Amino acid sequence: MIMNLVVRQVVQVLFVIVAAPLLAGWIRQCRAWLANRVGAGLLQPYRELSKLLRKQPIVAHEASVLFVATPYILFTTMVVAGAMVPMITTRLPLAGAADVIALAGVFALARIFAALAAMDLGTAFGSMGARRAMLVGFLAEPALLMVLFTPALISGSTSLVVIVRQLAHHGAMLYPSMAFAAAAYVMVTLAENARLPVDNPDTHLELTMIHEAMNLEYSGRYLALIEWASAIKLFVYIGIGAALFFPWGITQSHGLAALPMAYALLVAKLAAAGGGLAVIETLFAKLRLFRVPEFLGTAFLLAVLGLLVRYLFGH
């Protein structure tokens, strides 16, 4: 039994690590199709990562140990977050650690290290990107917690495993509170993953970039780890959304027979979410930096409304 649980955990972690670049490639391809372009293909992120991993990184003389260690810390924290989320099954060895508050803390830890590393060299772009990233995180994290508290109130627990089991047990019941929380979660996902309309992951313009500004001093395998960690983070955010708002298909049994169907359903959810994300990024232009607080303030308001609806009316 223990070996069965360990195998499930290892397989999910490997699936998250391997499939995250494919999700990024799918989103790029969908954006290309929506813009009437051919696109570079689904495997382009793998080619980019392979090229970066073969290159020797260049590190400034003023760089400290923090600057060198941060790519490994970011990659590790995102892998840990991917291991904590019950995307496929609730029978995982790390299920006891899958608390929504602890999960938000993992994301906050990665954000802090990324900002510190960006300011380590004292460059203008790095410091600017770190300040902007901390501003976005400062506004997005309360909204994320309010979103997570709504299903926690429904299930009576902050454990992701308990939340998924309770929501899956209720079937396709529509909760108005969860509808508000879902809308807020989409907005938080866009902000936390440097996507349009909050940030543009493809730009290098001084007045617009946030995430890319923190990575300008990285190269080679360090940049590959950062980009890979960003893809895993987006994968995990979509996995959390699928587990909270579309928990159907997540197996709760100890057997292995239901796992192939669970993985197939997860792939379908990821494909649908990636296509929807591509549509959002195609339809909406990037917001000015001074409008980002309004965007995330709206997300926080929607999350609080969902929480209040659940608390006052029980729906």
Side-chain angles (χ1 to χ4, degrees):
M1 180 65 67
I2 297 177
M3 183 58 64
N4 186 7
L5 295 177
V6 172
V7 170
R8 290 180 179 216
Q9 186 71 79
V10 172
V11 171
Q12 175 169 314
V13 171
L14 292 178
F15 179 76
V16 171
I17 295 174
V18 174
L22 184 62
L23 175 62
W26 167 249
I27 296 173
R28 291 186 190 177
Q29 190 63 42
C30 290
R31 290 183 61 182
W33 288 337
L34 291 172
N36 201 21
R37 295 185 286 107
V38 176
L42 298 178
L43 302 180
Q44 182 61 25
Y46 294 103
R47 290 189 285 265
E48 294 175 357
L49 291 175
S50 177
K51 180 181 67 175
L52 290 174
L53 288 172
R54 293 195 303 267
K55 289 186 175 182
Q56 181 70 24
I58 299 176
V59 181
H61 295 290
E62 296 81 6
S64 67
V65 178
L66 176 65
F67 182 85
V68 177
T70 293
Y72 298 97
I73 295 174
L74 295 181
F75 185 82
T76 304
T77 52
M78 291 304 107
V79 171
V80 170
M84 293 171 62
V85 180
M87 306 179 191
I88 308 297
T89 176
T90 57
R91 304 292 182 177
L92 295 173
L94 295 180
D99 185 89
V100 294
I101 300 177
L103 189 61
V106 171
F107 291 130
L109 179 66
R111 184 188 308 114
I112 291 172
F113 272 98
L116 291 176
M119 295 185 294
D120 186 64
L121 297 181
T123 59
F125 280 152
S127 300
M128 176 194 68
R131 291 194 298 267
R132 293 179 176 180
M134 293 306 294
L135 171 65
V136 173
F138 167 77
L139 297 170
E141 188 170 341
L144 176 62
L145 289 174
M146 289 298 104
V147 169
L148 297 176
F149 285 157
T150 298
L153 189 61
I154 294 175
S155 61
S157 173
T158 58
S159 172
L160 271 176
V161 172
V162 176
I163 292 173
V164 170
R165 289 174 181 172
Q166 290 291 335
L167 294 179
H169 178 71
H170 292 164
M173 183 181 300
L174 178 62
Y175 290 98
S177 58
M178 292 295 286
F180 284 111
Y185 187 79
V186 171
M187 300 172 73
V188 172
T189 300
L190 296 175
E192 286 278 51
N193 291 276
R195 313 298 301 192
L196 289 170
V198 176
D199 191 14
N200 187 354
D202 300 324
T203 186
H204 284 85
L205 298 177
E206 177 184 357
L207 297 178
T208 60
M209 60 182 176
I210 301 176
H211 177 265
E212 291 299 320
M214 297 191 295
N215 303 333
L216 290 179
E217 301 300 327
Y218 283 104
S219 61
R221 63 176 179 272
Y222 297 150
L223 182 59
L225 288 174
I226 291 176
E227 296 297 334
W228 205 341
S230 299
I232 294 175
K233 182 179 180 181
L234 178 60
F235 189 101
V236 172
Y237 262 87
I238 294 179
I240 295 172
L244 292 179
F245 305 107
F246 304 97
W248 312 292
I250 300 178
T251 177
Q252 302 180 28
S253 63
H254 291 280
L256 300 177
L259 289 181
M261 180 58 68
Y263 274 98
L265 289 175
L266 177 61
V267 170
K269 295 175 186 177
L270 292 171
L277 184 59
V279 171
I280 292 175
E281 293 188 328
T282 302
L283 294 178
F284 294 94
K286 185 185 179 306
L287 294 172
R288 295 178 60 192
L289 183 63
F290 302 107
R291 300 295 299 273
V292 172
E294 299 178 7
F295 180 84
L296 292 174
T298 303
F300 181 80
L301 177 61
L302 290 173
V304 172
L305 284 175
L307 195 63
L308 290 176
V309 168
R310 175 61 190 179
Y311 183 76
L312 295 177
F313 302 103
H315 299 291

